[in-house]
Amino acid sequence: MMFLRLLLIFPVCATLTLAQGLPPVESPPESPPAPNQAVAPVMPAVRKLDNTRFQIGEVVLDQKTREIRFPAEVNMTEDLLEYLIVHQDGKVHESLLVTETSPTHINLAFTLLRYTPSPELYPLPNATGGTSGDFPEVSAEVRAAARIRIDVEWMDEGKIRRIPLNEWVQHETKTTAMPAGPWVYGGSVFENGVYTPEITGDIAVISIIGFCMISYPGEDHDNDGVWIPFPKRVPAKGTEVTVVIAPYQTAPPIPNP
C-alpha cells in the first residue's frame, strides 16, 4: 500500500496508478494546441513485472531488494574522469559510463523505493548569489539512509559478472582503485517543474559539480584531476553493462544457513 501511495505524491507522475499493471499515459494532441492552450505533460508508464519488480522506461526497480537497474555502456577507457554515469546528451567526454535512460525515471525509482536524499554535498549560496564553502547540516540518520552502492554487471567470457563500479575507477596518483565506500543519493532539484539532471544529463558525479543526483563523498571528491578509468579492468568502449544501485551496507549480508 505504501508503494502505491508514493506513486501518487511524486511530482512528475501524480496521476499514475498500478491498476492492471500499466497506468495510463497522456496521448499527444491530434493537432497543435493554440498558443494559450496548456498541454498536459506526458507521464511515464509504470509496468508491473512480477510481485516485487516494476519497470519505468528502461529502469527496473525491485520493491523487495530496493535495487534499481538500468542499461548503460562503457564510454571511456582512458583520460580524466569527472563523472561516473551521464545521459547520452550530457558531458560524455568526462564520464566512465553513458546511458540512454532518463534521469527522471531513475529518480522516480529512488522515490518509489523510499530512498532518503541527503543534500550534504550541495554547497550553500553566498551573499552574492554564488556558492559558498559551507554545506547543509544533515543528521546522521539522513546521511546513513542516503548511502548507496553502485555495481556493474556485464558479460565476461560467457558469464555474468558483478562488481562495485568503484573498481573500474583508479586514483591516478596512488595507482589504486577508488575505495569501495558508498555514494550519496542527493536527489537534485526541480526548476520550473523540470528535473535538473534531465537537462544537464548528470546522473553520478565523482568530482562534485552542482546538484547532481548521485555524488561521491570520498577522499579527493573535490579534485577533478586524479581519477581515470582503471587500465586493464575496464572493458572495451561500447561494452554493454547493467548499472545496479542498492542500499549501502558496511559488511556483506550473512547468507542463510
Side-chain angles (χ1 to χ4, degrees), residues 45-113:
V46 178
R47 183 162 62 96
K48 186 173 182 178
L49 300 179
D50 53 36
N51 289 336
T52 66
R53 296 185 307 135
F54 297 82
Q55 185 167 356
I56 311 166
E58 295 186 332
V59 180
V60 174
L61 55 149
D62 193 314
Q63 193 177 356
K64 181 178 180 181
T65 64
R66 299 181 72 208
E67 284 190 347
I68 299 170
R69 292 171 169 264
F70 59 90
E73 66 178 43
V74 175
N75 178 63
M76 291 176 61
T77 58
E78 58 184 4
D79 294 330
L80 292 173
L81 297 174
E82 291 192 26
Y83 294 88
L84 193 71
I85 310 166
V86 300
H87 185 266
Q88 63 178 3
D89 295 331
K91 305 175 185 70
V92 296
H93 62 290
E94 301 171 324
S95 181
L96 179 64
L97 302 183
V98 64
T99 182
E100 297 181 2
T101 306
S102 163
T104 300
H105 292 176
I106 299 172
N107 193 56
L108 175 54
F110 273 113
T111 301
L112 296 179
L113 294 177

Side-chain angles (χ1 to χ4, degrees), residues 218-229:
E219 183 181 0
D220 280 334
H221 70 261
D222 56 351
N223 190 337
D224 61 3
V226 297
W227 301 105
I228 61 173

Side-chain angles (χ1 to χ4, degrees), residues 161 163-170 177-178 180 230 233-234:
R161 292 191 60 192
I163 63 171
L165 193 46
N166 299 48
E167 293 188 16
W168 281 2
V169 181
Q170 178 187 306
M178 175 181 282
F230 205 114
R233 289 191 184 182
V234 180

